Amino acid sequence: MILQIQNLEEYQQVYQRSVADPEAFWAEMADSFVWKKKWDRVLDWDFRTPKVEWFSGGQLNITENCLDRHLESRGDQVAILWEPNDPEGETVRYTYRELHAAVCRAANALKANGIGKGDRVCFYMPMVPELAIAVLACARIGAIHSVVFAGFSATALADRVKDATCKMIICSDYNSRGAKNIPVKKVVDEAMDMGCDSVTRVIVHRNTGGEVAWNDRVDRWWHEEVDGQSSDCPAETMEAEDELFILYTSGSTGKPKGVVHTCGGYMVYTCFSFKNVFQYQDGDVYWCTADIGWITGHSYIVYGPLLAGATTLMFEGVPTFPDAGRFWQICEKHQVNQFYTAPTAIRALMARGDEWVEKYDLSSLKVIGSGGEPINEEAWNWYNEKVGKGQAPIVDTWWQTETGGIMITPLPGITDTKPCFAAYPMPGIQPVLMNADGQEIEGNDVEGLLCIKFPWPSMIRTTWGDHDRCRNVYFSAFADKYFTGDGARRDAEGRLRIIGRVDDVINVSGHRMGTAEVENAINQHGHVVESAVVGYPHDIKGQGIYAYVIADRTDAEPLRREILEVVTKEIGPIAKPDKIQIVPGLPKTRSGKIMRRILRKIASGDTGNLGDVSTLLNPEVVEAVKEGAV
Ligand code: PRX
């Protein structure tokens, strides 16, 4: 079994060792997995290209490590514990043995439908067990999965399908979410009409059983394709650096990019980080409330926990249905030991009052986690007192889609915790703070741009189809360093606090959103002349979306409604601006660049000191924008 750090002294020792000789350290960690062939070299790297190769020459299949490896020792242990949206509905349990068989059947169905090694399969599905099963089925046969969060629009889905030239889409008929029954297949049909020519099959999982339109040429039912298949499917031999999956994420410019993760390093790091960050012990029930459509779900619902032989809970619904006690009711019902959620959910539940959390017995909780966005002190304290009862340590985990796994976090019961501090690097992770001139800022009580100066096994390898973009976005700002896009502070004792993005990316309810992406969507409206989008502090969402819009129409209310519709159509409801201000102009520099700094200040209500605006091309619009602020 992979190393599980037990105390502070061991953490310090392991950390030192991992930095002094990373190759020896990671080779030792990798040794606890099943390899079909051992690697020739632990690490080859050059951040200038960038080229990062871990365990090259090694061959494996990640599903053998998630499933087959556990059959003998824990075949009858529950692997996936699924809690439906409807609290009266039936809990579904897959033991490791059952999950293995289900994954093999699905893998055989994929093969029967023409999918093989290297093919891309897109997922557009709610949080049902079949999503995890089919993702693993792809990995079983060496197909590359690209999961798209089922809240994205048909346009966003089509963009992603086309970018990765996916051969298949796997979806559900409907998504049962809170009180709603949301059409899913219909969105896929719309996406298919947008020129997804590479797709030859759409596999539809019958979830709620509602009516769906059918295209005999491409559509097939999951149960008809999967149920009769053999429960034996040999695991494809994969090179350590073969692609495992693509996951699209937003950046500061242009379209979302497909972050690529590979088999060997991702396996080693997600398992190692899962075991240590959550201090998972045999028999525990672990629950991460994320959606598999995001990296958190990939690494800490599916791969990390299954690699570690854990029981991982998967929840179909939302935190507030049927009421604001749902999370805590599930924790009590399944005696959850490790609970991992996002600050947005904590803030939303905190706002509903303490009675919901006090109604349930949460004494089983040993570790509670937070991640995806900065957690404010009030939410941290509430989480600590009301959920953790001052007993279960909070792990505030900082990481990114690109990092594949948790990078900076306290280790529960091992290192100390401090509100809002992700605190300490994981073994093997070497964070540095840089100034704008490209120098490393040493010492404590300092602030800078967060970079990582040495490779780690689960780091991004490329952006799908555009390696230059990967270099430009992450490896060109600072020589020989991976730049995270975040700013951070190091306190007097050396703990790290993540401040937030320093680029034009905003974090709305833990979802990453490029301001340029939202602007592009708004600009699709025929009467919008120009727009500028910024983030502003929002009590529940962390950041809200504030859009300034120049239009050639004056009926503000209908225009706002139409803009919301356009954004919903182009990206999805998660990108809808919270505030839209129709403005006569946007403050610009003489070279024509929008002065976002001023717009950010106005959006956050901080109009007292906007700085010197006299050098602007159009200083007069600043007053008008200020006056019309919503
Ligand atoms: O700004 C940081 C913020 O979320 C970004 C990464 O988002 P995403 O790729 O969606 O990955 C989510 C995986 C957790 C980061 O650049 N972020 C993530 N975790 C934290 C955080 N900000 C503050 N504290 C955190 N714990």
Side-chain angles (χ1 to χ4, degrees):
M1 248 304 151
I2 205 155
L3 170 73
Q4 192 173 38
I5 294 165
Q6 304 294 327
N7 54 52
L8 183 59
E9 198 188 342
E10 191 183 0
Y11 164 71
Q12 286 161 343
Q13 239 174 34
V14 169
Y15 187 79
Q16 286 314 325
R17 186 153 65 90
S18 74
V19 172
D21 191 350
E23 295 193 22
F25 175 73
W26 288 116
E28 196 186 311
M29 295 306 110
D31 244 342
S32 56
F33 296 88
V34 175
W35 293 80
K36 288 174 187 280
K37 173 179 169 283
K38 204 169 163 161
W39 54 90
D40 302 320
R41 291 170 68 90
V42 179
L43 173 65
D44 265 315
W45 69 291
D46 181 350
F47 276 177
R48 286 169 304 185
T49 323
K51 174 179 100 165
V52 176
E53 291 178 5
W54 283 94
F55 312 114
S56 54
Q59 293 178 335
L60 75 153
N61 186 291
I62 196 167
T63 70
E64 278 188 337
N65 285 282
C66 288
L67 302 169
D68 306 57
R69 172 167 72 128
H70 302 310
L71 291 182
E72 206 174 305
S73 55
R74 54 179 94 241
D76 297 323
Q77 180 202 310
V78 176
I80 293 180
L81 178 60
W82 181 77
E83 182 65 26
N85 175 59
D86 175 1
E88 305 295 322
E90 214 175 302
T91 301
V92 174
R93 292 178 175 82
Y94 280 84
T95 64
Y96 272 93
R97 202 179 313 286
E98 290 162 344
L99 184 61
H100 176 267
V103 168
C104 285
R105 276 194 296 271
N108 285 323
L110 293 180
K111 284 206 268 191
N113 281 280
I115 300 298
K117 186 172 180 173
D119 289 337
R120 275 80 60 204
V121 176
C122 178
F123 288 77
Y124 189 77
M125 269 174 107
M127 285 286 286
V128 290
E130 286 74 10
L131 169 56
I133 289 167
V135 157
L136 291 164
C138 279
R140 186 84 177 167
I141 63 169
I144 302 168
H145 53 80
S146 168
V147 184
V148 176
F149 174 63
F152 279 116
S153 69
T155 312
L157 173 62
D159 284 347
R160 287 156 175 78
V161 168
K162 285 188 258 186
D163 187 75
T165 52
C166 293
K167 220 167 154 181
M168 177 184 272
I169 301 177
I170 306 185
C171 68
S172 294
D173 53 359
Y174 286 81
N175 179 358
S176 170
R177 218 173 140 69
K180 298 186 208 145
N181 190 25
I182 304 164
V184 175
K185 166 75 162 57
K186 186 166 162 273
V187 180
V188 173
D189 291 342
E190 284 166 30
M192 286 293 283
D193 286 340
M194 295 176 187
C196 295
D197 301 334
S198 55
V199 177
T200 53
R201 266 290 169 273
V202 174
I203 304 274
V204 188
H205 167 249
R206 186 176 278 155
N207 187 26
T208 69
E211 285 285 303
V212 291
W214 205 253
N215 174 350
D216 283 331
R217 195 175 53 81
V218 287
D219 296 343
R220 298 288 182 274
W221 284 111
W222 167 281
H223 56 271
E224 286 176 5
E225 298 303 309
V226 174
D227 289 356
Q229 294 288 347
S230 156
S231 56
D232 178 30
C233 175
E236 183 72 39
T237 299
M238 305 298 285
E239 298 296 324
E241 283 297 335
D242 278 342
E243 295 96 341
L244 175 63
F245 66 85
I246 306 170
L247 187 56
Y248 285 85
T249 190
S250 296
S252 52
T253 51
K255 283 188 175 177
K257 45 189 176 277
V259 171
V260 174
H261 285 288
T262 58
C263 295
Y266 180 82
M267 170 178 79
V268 173
Y269 195 79
T270 51
C271 182
F272 173 74
S273 52
F274 172 76
K275 278 285 272 189
N276 283 283
V277 174
F278 299 102
Q279 287 291 309
Y280 185 89
Q281 307 295 330
D282 266 351
D284 284 349
V285 174
Y286 160 87
W287 179 21
C288 165
T289 69
D291 190 291
I292 294 177
W294 312 111
I295 190 69
T296 313
H298 282 62
S299 302
Y300 299 112
I301 294 178
V302 182
Y303 287 112
L306 295 179
L307 286 162
T311 297
T312 176
L313 195 153
M314 197 177 156
F315 174 45
E316 184 183 33
V318 295
T320 48
F321 178 81
D323 58 47
R326 188 66 198 277
F327 272 5
W328 322 124
Q329 177 256 332
I330 296 174
C331 283
E332 178 184 281
K333 177 175 173 189
H334 295 294
Q335 293 290 292
V336 170
N337 301 109
Q338 291 89 4
F339 176 75
Y340 186 27
T341 196
T344 297
I346 299 170
R347 286 189 295 261
L349 296 178
M350 180 172 80
R352 300 293 183 100
D354 296 350
E355 61 271 27
W356 296 107
V357 53
E358 282 163 359
K359 242 170 94 174
Y360 298 96
D361 175 15
L362 299 180
S363 58
S364 58
L365 291 174
K366 296 194 283 190
V367 178
I368 54 177
S370 163
E373 50 172 323
I375 180 165
N376 50 310
E377 191 151 354
E378 192 191 357
W380 196 98
N381 286 330
W382 185 84
Y383 198 32
N384 183 41
E385 283 160 32
K386 301 294 170 191
V387 181
K389 318 282 182 204
Q391 299 291 320
I394 296 179
V395 287
D396 177 358
T397 59
W398 174 84
W399 58 299
Q400 308 178 298
T401 306
E402 295 86 345
T403 69
I406 294 168
M407 303 285 280
I408 303 179
T409 176
L411 294 183
I414 294 173
T415 61
D416 57 17
T417 62
K418 180 174 171 184
C420 314
F421 279 75
Y424 304 106
M426 286 290 289
I429 305 306
Q430 302 189 35
V432 286
L433 298 181
M434 307 293 291
N435 67 21
D437 300 328
Q439 281 136 358
E440 188 174 336
I441 307 170
E442 314 240 10
N444 289 342
D445 217 359
V446 290
E447 195 171 308
L449 302 167
L450 180 64
C451 290
I452 315 289
K453 72 172 180 193
F454 196 85
W456 64 101
S458 64
M459 71 183 292
I460 179 174
R461 298 300 196 268
T462 188
T463 42
W464 183 260
D466 193 350
H467 196 62
D468 286 347
R469 190 167 178 198
C470 176
R471 182 180 55 244
N472 294 338
V473 174
Y474 305 106
F475 298 92
S476 62
F478 301 97
D480 284 329
K481 288 178 184 68
Y482 166 84
F483 176 43
T484 65
D486 280 319
R489 248 229 68 77
R490 192 158 48 222
D491 75 1
E493 285 87 35
R495 298 181 202 88
L496 287 165
R497 175 179 190 156
I498 312 300
I499 298 161
R501 303 290 305 196
V502 295
D503 51 10
D504 289 321
V505 171
I506 50 184
N507 197 322
V508 185
S509 302
H511 304 319
R512 241 163 94 168
M513 205 78 67
T515 53
E517 214 183 320
V518 183
E519 287 162 9
N520 287 343
I522 294 173
N523 297 348
Q524 296 298 314
H525 188 291
H527 290 274
V528 168
V529 178
E530 196 178 4
S531 65
V533 166
V534 297
Y536 72 97
H538 187 289
D539 284 350
I540 305 286
K541 298 179 173 184
Q543 280 188 297
I545 304 178
Y546 195 118
Y548 298 90
V549 175
I550 307 175
D552 63 7
R553 258 172 45 191
T554 50
D555 52 337
E557 248 344 286
L559 198 56
R560 277 198 191 99
R561 265 200 313 275
E562 290 163 26
I563 289 171
L564 292 179
E565 275 168 30
V566 173
V567 174
T568 305
K569 180 172 160 289
E570 291 294 316
I571 306 175
I574 52 174
K576 280 199 297 197
D578 299 275
K579 294 182 177 181
I580 299 174
Q581 182 184 350
I582 312 297
V583 292
L586 292 166
K588 287 189 177 170
T589 62
R590 289 188 194 271
S591 59
K593 243 183 106 198
I594 296 173
M595 282 295 279
R596 288 171 187 278
R597 182 180 56 79
I598 292 175
L599 295 179
R600 269 187 226 113
K601 281 205 156 188
I602 295 174
S604 58
D606 173 18
T607 51
N609 177 18
L610 292 179
D612 183 15
V613 298
S614 63
T615 58
L616 291 179
L617 186 68
N618 50 356
E620 71 288 350
V621 304
V622 174
E623 224 23 63
V625 173
K626 225 165 92 175
E627 266 167 31
V630 287

